[in-house]
Amino acid sequence: KASMAYLIPGGLMIVNVPASRFLYSRYDEACGHKRRYSEKDLTRLFENAGLEINVLSPWGCALYPLLLIRRLRLLFSDRQNWIRDGFAPPGKLTSFIISLFMHLERIIPFAPPFGSSVLVIAKLPGK
């Protein structure tokens, strides 16, 4: 609602948020994320704020397994290392495989059924 003060009637709000409560980890906590959202949560939030949703699209399906591994790994990491350990780059082979899956996700002709993030584009009614 606070962001809406900057929108003019007919203006668009573009938001990308972390998705899937199940993926919430110590990394999210260290980054300042307060929660991860479901598509249902976002729909309710935007509609209650008086915005019309034009696009609601999960993405990052290929990252899901990696984020599950990160969640488990950080259970055994010291708090001061959560950011470093949670964002450590994978090896070259793992990085290549993730990049390949992310590319495939972009070219498939349908939206993935779930993702590690959700993109929302919503409009403030008017004009």
Side-chain angles (χ1 to χ4, degrees), residues 6 14 17 119:
Y6 300 98
I14 301 171
V17 297
L119 172 70

Side-chain angles (χ1 to χ4, degrees), residues 17-22 35-46 53 56 58 114-120:
V17 297
S20 182
R21 290 184 191 132
F22 183 71
R35 65 190 59 83
R36 285 181 164 267
Y37 295 87
S38 70
E39 293 176 49
K40 184 178 175 180
D41 294 334
L42 289 168
T43 299
R44 187 175 346 149
L45 282 170
F46 278 77
I53 295 176
L56 192 140
F114 60 90
S116 59
S117 296
V118 178
L119 172 70
V120 180

Side-chain angles (χ1 to χ4, degrees), residues 30-104:
C31 287
H33 295 162
K34 302 298 181 195
R35 65 190 59 83
R36 285 181 164 267
Y37 295 87
S38 70
E39 293 176 49
K40 184 178 175 180
D41 294 334
L42 289 168
T43 299
R44 187 175 346 149
L45 282 170
F46 278 77
E47 288 177 351
N48 287 345
L51 294 164
E52 299 169 352
I53 295 176
N54 294 347
V55 174
L56 192 140
S57 180
W59 67 275
C61 185
L63 297 175
Y64 215 88
L66 189 63
L67 297 182
L68 286 172
I69 292 167
R70 176 174 72 187
R71 181 177 182 219
L72 294 173
R73 181 176 173 212
L74 292 180
L75 291 175
F76 306 100
S77 179
D78 292 328
R79 183 180 187 89
Q80 67 268 17
N81 298 328
W82 287 353
I83 293 290
R84 186 196 69 206
D85 294 348
F87 204 68
K92 288 182 182 181
L93 178 60
T94 306
S95 184
F96 172 76
I97 292 168
I98 293 168
S99 295
L100 178 63
F101 281 129
M102 291 298 290
H103 176 71
L104 291 174

